[in-house]
Amino acid sequence: MQATFNVYRKEPGPNSKPGRSTYSVEVAADATVMDALLKIRDEQDPALGFRGSCLRGYCGDCTVRVNGKAAFACTAKVAALAKKGPAEISVEPIRNMPVVKDLIQDWDAFLWNKIDATKPWLEPNGSTADGEQRIPDTVMAKVRKAMSCFYCGLCDEGCTVLPVDFNFLGPAALTKASRFTWDPRDHAVRERLQILERPKGMWDCVHCFEASEHCPREIAPTERIMEMRDEAFKYGITNEKVARHHLSFAASVKRSGWLDEGRLAIESEGLTNFKGLMKLLPTAVKAITRGKAPIPYLHHKREGSEKITRIIEKAEANKEK
Amino acid sequence: MKYAFYPGCVSKGGCPELYPSAVRVATKLGIELEEMRDVACTGAGVLPQYISDPINARTFAKAERMGLPIMTICSTCQGVFGQANLRLQDPEYRAKINREYLAEEGLEYKGTTDIKHLLWVVMEDYGVDKLKAMVARPLTGLKVSPFYGCFLRRPPEVVIPSKEFAGRKTYLEQLIDIVGAELADFAGKGKCCGFPVLTANEESSLGMTAKHTIEAKSKGADCMVTPCPLCHLSLDGNQPRAEEQEGKEINLPILHLPQFLGLALGFTPAEMNLKRHIVSTQAVESKVNMIA
Amino acid sequence: MQEFDVLVVGAGAAGLRAAIAAKQAGAAVALLTKVHPLRTNTGLAQGGINAPLGADDSPEAYAGDILQAGDGLCDPGVVQAFTQQAGDAVMWLEHMGVPFNRGADGRFDRRQFGSNGKARSLYVDDRTGHVVMQVLYEQFQRARIPLFADWFVTSLAIDSARCVGVTALGLRSGVLDSFGARAVILATGGFTRLFMPSTVSIGTTGDGQNLAYQAGIALKDLEMVQFHPLVFPGGNALMITEAVLAEGAQVVTAEGQPIANLIGATRDKICIAILQALQNGASGVALDLTPIGAQKLHSRFSQTNELIRNFTGLDPAKDPIPIRPVAHRPIGGIEVNVSGQTAMHGLYAAGECACTGLNGAGRLAGNILTEAVVFGARAGEAAAAYAKSAPPKAFPADRLEEEKKRLEALVSAGKSEDTAGHIHGELGRLMSESAGAVREGSALQAARGRIHALKERYAQLRVRNESAIYNYELVAYLELGAMLNLAEALVVAADARNESRGAHRRSDHPARDDRNGLCHSVVTLVQGAPQADTKPVVAL
């Protein structure tokens, strides 16, 4: 069958402007977009740049956007695309990913360097017994789930933080790091959490669930990140600003059953952080003049709040590290 | 139609215009609300699950006792409740929470509580036809951008538990049409407003505030409507700071869902407390007042 | 130029393991690879990794199964060394973080896979290779070994019969550079892309085997190629892990007749059984995974389930999946001893590109990953020891310039009717027809002639892409050159073995000939042509 492709092109270098090339190619009935690209490069345009390795959808190297949707070139079937979509099948890089050349994306900047920054290896305890340890399979199953990730980049592509802050570690790197949190053979959990709590790390996630929605393997990266944050709460949050915010929130709910927003705003900045508190002033003034500023600390306790206090005290005592 | 009403914290705190407008709208529509008073904050995704799951299970148990489904007016409350409720469907986990935290108070959560946001209540339980009939002042000529708030759209297994709820992805657009307003569609409508990361990374947060409001404006929006007061705090409350960071004027009024619906039902801007916002809603008020 | 004690080429399981071992032995190590470590063909290994760790198992029992699968050609000394070390090598993986599936008692769960007499394959669902690869890469990162990813090695640097480094093309920069080393370890993987269809990734093109072959190193047992029986032949062909047979899946004819006696059979026997069924009139053969059940397909075989659905459009919980035998892995390769040493000083090889004599004429199912970690580590240690003791030797002064000129001469813009892709396609189909699971003498000889013709066409080709950065056309061209050389050598070796043994089947010599055939084949490049010879099986 004949198929026409409209492919994103860009020469290497910061000054080149992106463009498009159109190719018509004859492919087999069961051909994939990867087959078409290989044929185009072989017969028509040897300079066309694209990546690929496994040819069967399990290595994550050929992630692209086909007709505007994230896909793997090696499993996207040309026949189905030609039947459903526009006359020209569009192929372009995925979002949030810097491009080196054409469809060759810069995985170093996008993902590999970020993973490198998280201490992404097991630190075995030197005194581990030499033989087989008994570990429940439910524990290993959780690790296996996170490790079924094949670094396709789609969670990072859907992330709402990365377009605004490219230096955010991103769901892929964070999910990979999260696996060590539940692996009883690792002895660097606390240390790794401290690395992940730094600015641009796990606390920069807005838990919008885009990552979980984009993951093709149901690894649920957003949930993994939230669980890691809960672990950090148990160990004691090391990111100072976040710690102030979270502890103030918890103290407020524990005391009165609901949130004292005024107190939260102040304590997040820090009671002695003059500069930070001054920054809040313009918004606070506007809010006060419009009658929407909750008065901090003069915060009445809800009905039944002592029951809430009791539950929270119990939960804090119960927490297992 | 009767619900255990859960107003959350912000609707009476940082967004006090939300609570009365929600109650007014519900009353006008004939939706009966029995407010839950002795229940806790949901935790808003800030409190870790080992604290928030027990206190939310307690809320669900109380609603179960009332024999009523819960109605929320905040996407964040809705999301945290929905996610917790899904976890509590696991019988072992629920039994553990009941045993360790609720039994002392003589409570037990049986797993049956249903939780719906006001938006879902009007679109599903109240019904689109009935709603259409209640529109007293069609908002003709008003261009509106919808902003859902993440937790009203994701994760899919919580928001759309079965195919019949697939419409939840477009209720705001549908509502805009029902009240006679014009849709100013834009890509950011289902994205994050930036509120959750305000503490950890203010620049990121304000960047998101700016991105979505600027985009909506570029599509011709007169205002934005949102079912989440935390989104409102970010999009409205932080709009001046976002303007400063971007070096750009935005000036886009943000309406709470009940305010928007309320105007269409015939309430005045004053009755909907539009004067409380940080970003002036004057332009919207003028447009609405011109409609007979 | 960059200089290291030990240079590893290839970032699959064997390469990573070798690099870690060399670093731990005190060498300054670097690793060059044409694809990122997490994109290598190691991910193809799914079903499990063998280790004699069960209470009912032993290195001796393991050795017995290897010898049986090897059909008389295994080197017993190598088998013994390997089976003694396998347990520790796999335990090390677990200690470094591989989350092997566990039984109810919290101990390793093990599969009985292929012709293994015991359940000795530890596994991670059906993505064992993918997870082992991640753990190895993590430990590689922990060892802080410099990684040169997207670098393509174009030649070995040899001085006075000693390997002193490589020249490599940096794909991202487009610049050719030289890397000096006291020892080079080739761990470049298999060569099955010279068959079409095959089960392997795009880059499995035998680069390392060709580099060694050009340097005069013998390629051993090249005719022994493992065909995988359970491959969906459509498109680029999808291999389904043999572990499904151990868990209830059945091979049936299109008419619904189950093919008997496949549990516990060696891979080559299953392939022959399938081919025989087709010869006997079955219109097709399929794999019926329904006995595994939807629940297990979702949990234990979730990757298999996902790949089948995405690739074939079929649902393994309901539909039979059409299969036939397809070229999978080489058993032969660069001749090395049990420590990965080749006949050339300073040159080592490990993993699928190497032939230690362990597998003889047939590889036991579940061995490939174990080989990667056992022999990878051994090669790393041996290379590090050599690097420590070897006298320094300079990188030949004009090697880099010569190589630059050679590569430049290949590039010439302009139109051409003939392309590398066309030649590769013809080669692949030729090899599948003439050097497939069953071979025949005259066809092999004819094939050699046709490979010659393809090589002549190849010599006329030019690389038309003149831009330097990420010139994948140049890479594909060089890979094709390697495959043409290896195809020729393979066909020569297959023609020289006039018997059927293990993975090598001759329709014109259907029986085993223990009088003349109990020897390894070796092919060396002599005056530009492959020369076949034999070597005795090394007695214990």
Side-chain angles (χ1 to χ4, degrees), chain A residues 204 208 290-291 310 314, chain B residues 41 100 104 154 201 276-277:
Chain A
D204 277 42
C208 64
R290 286 158 178 73
R310 178 94 190 93
K314 250 192 167 175
Chain B
C41 165
E100 289 180 17
E104 200 179 296
R154 293 175 294 272
N201 190 336
R276 295 247 185 169
H277 297 193

Side-chain angles (χ1 to χ4, degrees), chain B residues 11 26 36 39 63 69 87 109 119 132 150 153 166 174 205 212 221 234 239 260 265 271 285 292:
Chain B
S11 74
M36 302 182 84
V39 288
R87 283 191 293 277
Y109 180 45
L119 176 63
K132 274 198 175 118
C150 297
R153 299 218 1 155
Q174 289 179 48
S205 182
H212 303 313
S234 183
Q239 205 178 116
F260 176 66
L265 294 179
E271 284 170 313
E285 291 178 46

Side-chain angles (χ1 to χ4, degrees), chain A residues 42 56 59 116 133 151 179, chain C residues 39 102 141 236-237 419:
Chain A
D42 184 54
R56 294 147 183 105
C59 79
D116 288 349
Q133 307 166 69
Y151 311 95
R179 95 130 199 281
Chain C
R39 310 292 192 207
R102 309 259 172 174
Q141 290 173 293
N236 288 307
T419 69

Side-chain angles (χ1 to χ4, degrees), chain B residues 124 159-171 174:
Chain B
E124 289 167 8
V159 173
I160 304 178
S162 63
K163 277 203 181 104
E164 64 179 288
F165 298 108
R168 287 179 177 173
K169 276 186 153 164
T170 55
Y171 280 170
Q174 289 179 48

Side-chain angles (χ1 to χ4, degrees), chain B:
Chain B
M1 288 180 57
K2 193 171 179 190
Y3 296 85
F5 179 38
Y6 181 91
C9 306
V10 178
S11 74
K12 293 182 173 183
C15 283
E17 66 276 8
L18 173 57
Y19 176 80
S21 55
V23 172
R24 282 203 156 111
V25 164
T27 310
K28 184 126 200 194
L29 291 174
I31 297 171
E32 251 188 280
L33 300 177
E34 195 178 316
E35 190 169 329
M36 302 182 84
R37 291 187 187 277
D38 60 343
V39 288
C41 165
T42 67
V46 173
L47 291 185
Q49 282 168 27
Y50 67 87
I51 293 178
S52 61
D53 276 359
I55 59 181
N56 288 327
R58 179 175 178 277
T59 307
F60 302 156
K62 290 207 156 230
E64 228 170 27
R65 261 211 192 149
M66 290 160 78
L68 296 170
I70 296 177
M71 186 184 93
T72 62
I73 50 174
C74 166
S75 298
T76 303
C77 292
Q78 180 62 36
V80 176
F81 271 167
Q83 291 157 37
N85 203 18
L86 188 61
R87 283 191 293 277
L88 289 165
Q89 295 307 307
D90 175 64
E92 260 183 66
Y93 184 54
R94 191 170 68 247
K96 176 170 180 265
I97 301 281
N98 279 329
R99 192 175 54 238
E100 289 180 17
Y101 298 102
L102 269 51
E104 200 179 296
E105 214 183 321
L107 287 170
E108 186 198 343
Y109 180 45
K110 297 195 175 76
T112 68
T113 297
D114 196 20
I115 306 142
K116 279 195 179 180
H117 188 283
L118 171 65
L119 176 63
W120 300 352
V121 168
V122 301
M123 295 297 287
E124 289 167 8
D125 301 347
Y126 194 77
V128 164
D129 294 323
K130 255 170 92 184
L131 192 60
K132 274 198 175 118
M134 292 294 289
V135 172
R137 182 211 274 123
L139 300 176
T140 324
L142 190 68
K143 293 206 184 77
V144 186
S145 285
F147 195 88
Y148 283 83
C150 297
F151 286 179
L152 224 54
R153 299 218 1 155
R154 293 175 294 272
E157 63 269 19
V158 172
V159 173
I160 304 178
S162 63
K163 277 203 181 104
E164 64 179 288
F165 298 108
R168 287 179 177 173
K169 276 186 153 164
T170 55
Y171 280 170
L172 271 184
E173 287 97 308
Q174 289 179 48
L175 186 67
I176 290 170
D177 184 54
I178 287 170
V179 305
E182 212 182 296
L183 174 66
D185 206 358
F186 73 115
K189 66 187 167 190
K191 301 291 177 193
C192 181
C193 64
F195 189 82
V197 84
L198 187 57
T199 308
N201 190 336
E202 188 181 283
E203 203 183 314
S204 243
S205 182
L206 297 177
M208 289 186 212
T209 303
K211 187 168 183 211
H212 303 313
T213 46
I214 289 171
E215 195 201 346
K217 243 205 144 172
S218 79
K219 302 290 181 185
D222 294 317
C223 66
M224 208 179 250
V225 61
T226 178
C228 180
L230 300 189
C231 294
H232 193 274
L233 284 176
S234 183
L235 299 166
D236 170 75
N238 279 339
Q239 205 178 116
R241 287 164 76 187
E243 284 175 328
E244 218 183 290
Q245 184 173 285
E246 287 299 304
K248 225 189 201 129
E249 196 191 286
I250 303 173
N251 216 1
L252 182 69
I254 316 287
L255 301 189
H256 293 279
L257 171 72
Q259 293 174 322
F260 176 66
L261 180 54
L263 292 172
L265 294 179
F267 286 110
T268 65
E271 284 170 313
M272 294 287 99
N273 303 98
L274 284 183
K275 288 259 184 286
R276 295 247 185 169
H277 297 193
I278 300 294
V279 176
S280 166
T281 53
Q282 190 54 51
V284 173
E285 291 178 46
S286 310
K287 253 194 167 167
V288 166
N289 285 333
M290 287 196 347
I291 301 167

